[in-house]
Amino acid sequence: MSENVVHLHKSTESTEPATVTALTVVPDPAPAAPVPLWVRSGRAVKTAVNHDTTKTTARAVARHTLYVAGGARIAAKRTWDGRTASRYERMLRAAEAAGNYEVAAEWEERGQHFREARHRRRMDLLHSPIDAAKGVAVSAGMGVGSLVALGIVMAIATKDVSEVVTPLMATIDFINLLITIVQVVWGPALTIGPFLALLALWAIGSKQQAAPAWALPDNVRSSEGEPITPSIVVKALRDLGISPLKSAIKEMGDAGASMLGPIRIAGCGVEVDVTLPSGVATNEVQKRRRKLAENLTRHEHEVFITIPQAARTVRLWVADSGALDEPIGPSPLVTDETMTADYTKGRAPWGQDLRGDAAALSLYQRHLLITGLSNQGKTVALRSLALWLALDKSVQFLMGDLKGVGDWAMFDGLATTLIQGPTDEHVIQVTEMVEGAVDEMNRRLMAPPGTQFPALIVLVDEAQVAFMCPLKDEEGRFYGGSKATSRYFMAVRKIHNQGRAVNVLMWQGTQDPTDQNLPKLVREGAHTRASLALGTESQARMALGDKAVDGGAAPNLLRPGLDQGTLVVASSGIDIPKGQSSITVRTHYVDDDAAEAITDRAKALRDGVTTLHVIERGEERDPLADIASVVGDTSRVRTKDVLKRLATLNEAAYGGWSFLDLKRVLDDAGAEPHKSDGVMVVSRDRVARALANRDNEGSASADG
């Protein structure tokens, strides 16, 4: 190495550039410095530790070693429980912590019986050596006597005196053989015995997985989809962060197991009732749904907490991991082409509850409201009910689709009225359609008692568009809004108030509810309230009411986009488990093609329906002038007679008028009806004066 370097230096001092170039381009390579042994060893160790096979092997060795220690711990605990009264003490403390003093007294009595029996056994042991010695002496004497007697019999039979001791010597030889066998086996048994004991402890530990989580195999350590057991539920409750609950579980001798009812299989999950200890409120557990779900190794949407009828109890429904992400089967409306509907006695097949049971909804004389965030399946859920009901040929439909993208187009030729579109003009049309339903309701209400009417379903999808419409009519009344002068709002309220009695029902679908786009009086007028995924708890209360939410209903915890078609329903028309105020339903998805096929079947049941797409407005009437004309020259006419004369004058305009409509027109004109001889009448002079004043005001405005 040194010679090469010197040679290079000499060459570079030469004046011949070729030599310099040759020596510079081709130097002798320097060998790498030797790597210390400890460095290579460290790298090898690091590589070995990071190797998956090495990790798996180390974990397996640790696991099987710890199985023995865990098995010894379990065996010791079982032995201790079997020989002491600790088991009874644990159950006694658990019953006291749960407030169940009758059970506590029973366990105390059982413990006392155990102690008395144990005391008797110990006292018997004091006398057992003497009794055993006496027994051995008596048995030995009887045994020797029996053997000698047998020998005498043998001696007499063989006429050989030596046979007298033959049975006795045979017995001695047999005992000697047993001693020999024990001597041979004893040594190996002492050697093998500890290994057999360790094997037994290992088997116990292996069966109970008595090793830390890091040492367990991957398929065991993975908590995803872990079965729900009592110990897992109690541990999840203990770790919720509720101090009184944690303390009570620690004080319970059974570590909290007495809080749990039976774990029952319920559809694609399990269900268990938990009786909370004193000092822990049910809503404290409800508020920690996410933490409870994670403690149970589930996602939040896979755990539902409801309040059953029993006091101080929460009911947990825990889904199998991933089960709620699997679709449910097709609707019976699609699979059974012979299905028909019965409005009065039937139930619409809507989907499945979380237990996997069919969820069917009665629609008889129930107003309906479905709400939720946009694009969560509201229209499909609402349409499924209408599709089923359309298979009852007596049912009539008035439909307004304020989205207008064709979701309800298949009802053309089935609905009496079908208005589709999102504009203000469509809102006006829908409002007049609902007001026409009010007129029909009033006509039915005037029929003789006991008259039966077919169901008239007034369905408005995207109803929030109507409530938010800013337009006014000629009289200055808003189409939207929630005031007493708001036309759509008041029409819906009238149907809610009286429509049920004559089978005029209001069905509405809305999205993203607020007090402005879904007024309180309207949402509380619905008998069946259902909600898809919502953003906040306040919206959930708007959609379902305080009672349902306080009872555990939580549509705000559904996952937007992932739980499409999943509804939380509060209604007397669906079977809800006893003690609960709502039920979660996973609705069947009926696509447009299937809906078209169902409506074709429904149309075949009918003689033919002509669908109106625009509300036909009659000629413009002047109500005050018409009132003046029907009053005529009579100074006072009873309001009842005025209504009859107006209906005769123009049935389309005044056939559905009530006293309130007449009073509203007269009050606005300053010609209020008044009482005369105990009955309400319309004064000719007041009406004439009101007409004259109105004409004068109109002339003055025109001159100005």
Side-chain angles (χ1 to χ4, degrees):
M1 175 68 183
S2 58
E3 292 178 358
N4 288 336
V5 173
V6 172
H7 178 68
L8 177 61
H9 281 266
K10 288 181 179 179
S11 300
T12 53
E13 292 174 355
S14 173
T15 57
E16 296 182 7
T19 305
V20 173
T21 303
L23 292 175
T24 303
V25 172
V26 192
D28 292 335
V35 179
L37 179 61
W38 64 269
V39 173
R40 287 181 293 174
S41 301
R43 290 173 182 171
V45 170
K46 183 177 180 181
T47 303
V49 170
N50 287 334
H51 198 277
D52 288 341
T53 304
T54 305
K55 288 182 178 180
T56 304
T57 303
R59 198 164 63 232
V61 172
R63 176 171 66 253
H64 292 290
T65 303
L66 292 170
Y67 278 164
V68 176
R73 185 180 67 255
I74 294 171
K77 187 175 185 302
R78 289 175 180 175
T79 304
W80 178 259
D81 286 346
R83 300 189 63 84
T84 67
S86 60
R87 178 186 294 111
Y88 302 95
E89 293 292 337
R90 284 202 308 271
M91 301 305 293
L92 172 62
R93 290 196 298 271
E96 288 178 343
N100 197 339
Y101 297 106
E102 292 181 3
V103 176
E106 181 181 347
W107 280 110
E108 184 178 15
E109 183 179 356
R110 290 183 181 182
Q112 187 61 32
H113 290 329
F114 173 82
R115 294 185 184 92
E116 291 175 357
R118 183 180 61 184
H119 177 70
R120 286 194 300 270
R121 289 193 301 271
R122 288 176 177 175
M123 293 304 295
D124 292 340
L125 287 175
L126 296 176
H127 303 88
S128 60
I130 298 174
D131 296 338
K134 292 179 180 179
V136 169
V138 173
S139 298
M142 293 180 63
V144 172
S146 299
L147 292 174
V148 171
L150 179 61
I152 293 171
V153 172
M154 291 176 62
I156 294 172
T158 60
K159 297 179 181 182
D160 185 359
V161 178
S162 62
E163 293 293 334
V164 173
V165 296
T166 299
L168 186 61
M169 295 305 296
T171 303
I172 293 172
D173 291 341
F174 178 71
I175 294 173
N176 186 49
L177 176 62
L178 291 178
I179 293 172
T180 303
I181 293 173
V182 169
Q183 288 176 342
V184 172
V185 174
W186 184 254
L190 289 177
T191 304
I192 300 174
F195 292 100
L196 294 177
L198 290 176
L199 181 62
L201 295 177
W202 175 88
I204 295 173
S206 175
K207 185 176 181 180
Q208 299 293 328
Q209 297 292 328
W214 58 266
L216 297 175
D218 292 336
N219 59 337
V220 177
R221 287 188 298 126
S222 175
S223 59
E224 190 71 21
E226 188 175 8
I228 300 300
T229 63
S231 60
I232 289 176
V233 176
V234 172
K235 186 176 182 298
L237 293 168
R238 184 195 67 193
D239 297 339
L240 275 183
I242 304 174
S243 298
L245 180 58
K246 184 176 182 180
S247 302
I249 292 175
K250 285 184 177 179
E251 293 174 2
M252 294 179 183
D254 62 348
S258 60
M259 297 192 306
L260 306 184
I263 296 180
R264 304 175 296 272
I265 296 177
C268 57
V270 295
E271 185 178 74
V272 59
D273 286 352
V274 181
T275 302
L276 301 176
S278 178
V280 182
T282 54
N283 64 338
E284 292 183 86
V285 177
Q286 281 185 303
K287 292 176 183 176
R288 292 167 170 81
R289 177 185 173 188
R290 173 175 293 181
K291 192 169 186 179
L292 178 62
E294 292 172 351
N295 291 348
L296 293 169
T297 65
R298 295 295 189 273
H299 297 292
E300 184 177 12
H301 72 277
E302 294 176 327
V303 175
F304 289 81
I305 306 172
T306 55
I307 310 299
Q309 196 169 15
R312 218 172 66 228
T313 302
V314 294
R315 178 169 293 161
L316 307 181
W317 185 86
V318 185
D320 298 336
S321 184
L324 294 184
D325 296 327
E326 297 294 329
I328 65 174
S331 171
L333 289 170
V334 177
T335 58
D336 185 2
E337 296 185 356
T338 63
M339 175 176 284
T340 57
D342 185 345
Y343 163 71
T344 57
K345 298 179 181 179
R347 289 176 175 248
W350 212 6
Q352 294 179 359
D353 62 17
L354 296 179
R355 294 165 181 79
D357 298 329
L361 180 67
S362 172
L363 304 173
Y364 179 64
Q365 293 189 343
R366 288 179 175 89
H367 301 303
L368 176 68
L369 172 65
I370 299 180
T371 187
L373 297 178
S374 177
N375 196 32
Q376 299 305 307
K378 166 182 55 63
T379 297
V380 172
L382 183 60
R383 189 175 68 184
S384 296
L385 298 177
L387 288 171
W388 176 80
L389 198 55
L391 296 175
D392 183 340
K393 63 181 181 180
S394 67
V395 178
Q396 304 170 6
F397 292 96
L398 301 177
M399 292 185 167
D401 174 17
L402 292 176
K403 184 190 296 183
V405 295
D407 291 333
W408 298 89
M410 66 285 300
F411 282 86
D412 192 356
L414 189 60
T416 305
T417 301
L418 177 60
I419 299 169
Q420 303 178 88
T423 67
D424 291 338
E425 178 60 30
H426 291 102
V427 172
I428 294 173
Q429 293 282 322
V430 168
T431 301
E432 293 178 349
M433 178 191 76
V434 178
E435 289 175 338
V438 174
D439 295 338
E440 172 61 17
M441 176 189 73
N442 291 332
R443 185 188 68 79
R444 294 183 177 190
L445 289 170
M446 296 174 64
T451 305
Q452 297 297 317
F453 297 100
L456 175 61
I457 307 300
V458 186
L459 189 153
V460 179
D461 195 13
E462 305 296 342
Q464 76 279 355
V465 177
F467 285 114
M468 298 302 291
C469 180
L471 295 186
K472 295 181 180 180
D473 62 10
E474 297 83 356
E475 299 179 7
R477 293 185 298 163
F478 284 101
Y479 285 96
S482 58
K483 297 181 179 179
T485 56
S486 301
R487 291 181 59 178
Y488 180 79
F489 170 77
M490 289 305 298
V492 172
R493 287 289 298 139
K494 289 176 181 178
I495 295 177
H496 277 176
N497 289 338
Q498 296 179 300
R500 176 177 176 272
V502 289
N503 288 327
V504 177
L505 303 178
M506 192 75 209
W507 290 10
Q508 295 183 97
T510 71
Q511 63 173 276
D512 202 7
T514 66
D515 283 327
Q516 288 72 39
N517 66 23
L518 187 58
K520 178 180 176 66
L521 292 177
V522 169
R523 60 185 186 247
E524 292 186 350
H527 303 100
T528 295
R529 300 167 72 173
S531 176
L532 296 117
L534 288 173
T536 64
E537 182 179 324
S538 62
Q539 286 185 315
R541 292 183 180 276
M542 291 180 193
L544 300 176
D546 292 336
K547 180 181 179 181
V549 175
D550 292 338
N556 52 300
L557 297 182
L558 294 174
R559 302 167 300 167
L562 298 177
D563 290 325
Q564 288 182 326
T566 299
L567 288 161
V568 182
V569 184
S571 172
S572 61
I574 194 169
D575 292 333
I576 297 177
K578 188 176 181 181
Q580 295 181 201
S581 55
S582 64
I583 188 171
T584 302
V585 177
R586 303 173 68 198
T587 58
H588 295 294
Y589 177 73
V590 181
D591 61 26
D592 291 348
D593 293 338
E596 190 81 36
I598 296 169
T599 52
D600 288 343
R601 286 156 44 195
K603 293 171 186 176
L605 298 174
R606 292 165 169 79
D607 294 333
V609 176
T610 301
T611 300
L612 298 178
H613 297 281
V614 177
I615 300 298
E616 298 179 356
R617 298 185 176 92
E619 59 178 315
E620 293 294 333
R621 306 292 305 184
D622 185 345
L624 189 60
D626 288 341
I627 292 172
S629 67
V630 299
V631 169
D633 298 332
T634 308
S635 60
R636 292 186 297 273
V637 180
R638 297 173 63 180
T639 54
K640 183 178 180 180
D641 294 335
V642 172
L643 288 172
K644 290 181 179 179
R645 295 176 185 180
L646 286 172
T648 302
L649 178 65
N650 192 307
E651 175 67 24
Y654 304 116
W657 266 36
S658 65
F659 170 74
L660 293 178
D661 297 311
L662 176 63
K663 185 176 184 299
R664 176 177 55 80
V665 172
L666 294 174
D667 288 348
D668 292 344
E672 300 85 350
H674 62 281
K675 277 192 175 182
S676 176
D677 296 331
V679 296
M680 295 298 293
V681 298
V682 177
S683 171
R684 178 197 60 192
D685 295 338
R686 291 187 181 185
V687 174
R689 190 182 309 114
L691 276 173
N693 292 337
R694 188 185 68 177
D695 294 340
N696 291 336
E697 290 175 1
S699 299
S701 299
D703 293 340

